[in-house]
């Protein structure tokens, strides 16, 4: 599938994903593969307060609740901004801040390369 978009990991997002339990990590990879192919993940929601076009993949299993925040609206790649385990019903301010800072860094870097 040559038409699949490249995934670009921002900050520690790749290492954070690798820290997920095995089943959650595999599910996250499968869902990101769907995004690469231009499809929606099975369980997702828009997360616009981080930045325009940001979406959240939602993974829940016996190990806990996990999230992958990404942006797929740019032509060149899917940017994975943040991967984390949720401890409460609401997403923590710290997790939102990490994703928002990384989003702004992606937008800034894209502007500089044009």
């Amino acid at each position: 599938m040559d038409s699949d978009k490249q995934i670009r990991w921002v900050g520690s997002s790749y290492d954070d994903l690798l820290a997920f339990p095995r089943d959650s990590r595999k599910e996250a990879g499968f869902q990101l593969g769907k995004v690469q192919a231009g499809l929606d993940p099975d369980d997702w929601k828009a997360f616009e307060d981080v930045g325009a076009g940001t979406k959240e993949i939602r993974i829940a299993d016996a190990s806990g609740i996990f999230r992958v925040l990404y942006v797929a609206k740019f032509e060149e790649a899917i940017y994975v901004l943040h991967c984390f385990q949720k401890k409460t019903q609401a997403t923590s301010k710290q997790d939102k801040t990490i994703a928002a800072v990384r989003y702004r860094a992606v937008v800034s870097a894209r502007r500089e390369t044009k």
Side-chain angles (χ1 to χ4, degrees):
M1 289 198 278
D2 290 339
S3 63
D4 284 358
K5 269 190 182 179
Q6 179 185 54
I7 292 179
R8 295 189 184 160
W9 304 90
V10 184
S12 64
S13 61
Y14 184 70
D15 290 333
D16 296 339
L17 180 67
L18 291 179
F20 282 14
R22 184 177 162 279
D23 288 346
S24 298
R25 188 173 60 242
K26 284 175 63 175
E27 182 62 21
F30 177 74
Q31 297 303 326
L32 284 170
K34 290 181 81 168
V35 175
Q36 278 185 292
L39 304 171
D40 282 331
D42 293 337
D43 188 2
W44 68 276
K45 76 172 192 175
F47 216 85
E48 297 283 325
D49 48 342
V50 164
T54 303
K55 294 182 180 177
E56 169 186 71
I57 297 173
R58 300 150 48 122
I59 300 164
D61 63 22
S63 307
I65 300 168
F66 300 88
R67 298 292 187 256
V68 177
L69 294 175
Y70 70 94
V71 181
K73 72 177 186 171
F74 302 122
E75 294 174 14
E76 71 277 6
I78 296 160
Y79 292 90
V80 178
L81 304 172
H82 189 35
C83 301
F84 61 98
Q85 181 173 8
K86 282 185 76 167
K87 305 288 186 191
T88 63
Q89 191 69 23
T91 301
S92 76
K93 183 173 175 18
Q94 179 183 1
D95 287 317
K96 288 180 185 178
T97 300
I98 289 168
V101 166
R102 291 177 180 173
Y103 180 91
R104 288 192 303 271
V106 166
V107 170
S108 177
R110 290 183 79 249
R111 216 178 278 133
E112 289 174 10
T113 59
K114 288 187 176 185

